[in-house]
Amino acid sequence: MARPLQFERQKAIDAAMGVFWEQGYSASSLQQLLDAMQINRGSLYAAFSDKAGLFKEVIDNYQSRIQSIVIRLLSNELDPAKGIKDVFELTLLALTKDSLALGCLLVNTVNELSPIDSEIASHAANKLDVVEQAFIAACERAQTLKQMTKEITPESAGKMLMTSMIGLRVQSRRGVETSDLRQSIMPLLNMLMPTLDKR
């Protein structure tokens, strides 16, 4: 009979996320992960198979807990323009300086691992695709409610917003100040949704 795993799985995943998020996948050693998770090597292998398996679960957990906030904001049925703005306000511009410095775990992963581990990079990229589709759907609703210009298709607008979000997360990791991040995104939001600056 297999021995039960003697650790709290969610707590261990959260600890591993902190290590991966701060240092990246490649720079996070197995021993650093074990120390942070407070488990032994056998428990890690039994629960996650290996470092890559652990990281994929960390990515899944990141999406379900952190990116779910983005999806919820973009699902604003009554005021999709506000939902789009709130994504940038509450998940980027309202973050602490320390959180901003970490960037987005998914964006970091794609940037780091695309040249060296396409499988894990694709796993992270697929999570970003979910957010892009949510942006596109929000743009479709905003156009229907005449909140967004019709000079650009919802698909193009959604992709543009997603590209901007990724760019801002990269810039935040570089240490760019929040005020500068705001100046970077607000002109685009006001161009796409002219009524925003009148609220």
Side-chain angles (χ1 to χ4, degrees):
M1 181 175 178
R3 293 177 59 190
L5 297 174
Q6 300 296 318
F7 66 91
E8 187 179 335
R9 189 182 188 91
Q10 187 59 56
K11 185 177 179 180
I13 291 172
D14 288 344
M17 182 187 298
V19 176
F20 283 131
W21 205 345
E22 183 174 353
Q23 299 186 174
Y25 178 78
S26 300
S28 298
S29 71
L30 193 58
Q31 190 58 54
Q32 288 174 322
L33 292 165
L34 294 174
D35 290 344
M37 298 166 75
Q38 298 183 347
I39 64 174
N40 59 41
R41 192 178 297 259
S43 293
L44 186 146
Y45 288 142
F48 308 105
S49 296
D50 54 18
K51 178 182 172 181
L54 169 62
F55 190 56
K56 287 181 180 178
E57 191 153 340
V58 163
I59 288 174
D60 292 341
N61 189 69
Y62 178 88
Q63 183 191 37
S64 64
R65 292 177 56 194
I66 297 178
Q67 285 209 305
S68 62
I69 299 171
V70 175
I71 302 300
R72 176 173 55 80
L73 292 173
L74 291 175
S75 298
N76 187 328
E77 296 284 347
L78 298 178
D79 195 346
K82 182 178 183 300
I84 292 169
K85 182 180 180 182
D86 284 348
V87 166
F88 291 93
E89 289 286 353
L90 299 181
T91 68
L92 181 63
L93 301 178
L95 292 176
T96 65
K97 191 168 185 178
D98 287 344
S99 296
L100 282 170
L102 292 175
C104 170
L105 179 60
L106 300 181
V107 174
N108 297 348
T109 299
V110 172
N111 287 338
E112 176 193 358
L113 296 184
S114 289
I116 58 178
D117 194 321
S118 59
E119 181 181 353
I120 296 179
S122 294
H123 191 69
N126 289 339
K127 307 298 183 184
L128 291 174
D129 288 341
V130 173
V131 178
E132 183 175 282
Q133 290 304 312
F135 266 122
I136 292 171
C139 290
E140 289 175 346
R141 291 193 299 274
Q143 278 199 353
T144 299
L145 295 175
K146 298 181 179 180
Q147 294 181 323
M148 178 173 284
T149 178
K150 291 194 174 181
E151 294 181 3
I152 185 171
T153 66
E155 182 176 8
S156 295
K159 289 179 181 294
M160 189 182 299
L161 290 167
M162 185 63 186
T163 299
S164 297
M165 172 64 77
I166 292 173
L168 288 174
R169 296 312 298 266
V170 173
Q171 289 289 75
S172 70
R173 190 168 174 83
R174 290 183 56 236
V176 176
E177 294 294 329
T178 301
S179 58
D180 293 328
L181 296 176
R182 184 184 296 276
Q183 289 177 7
S184 297
I185 189 59
M186 291 311 297
L188 173 62
L189 295 181
N190 289 328
M191 179 191 74
L192 293 175
M193 299 172 289
T195 60
L196 276 180
D197 60 357
K198 297 182 176 63
R199 298 185 181 190

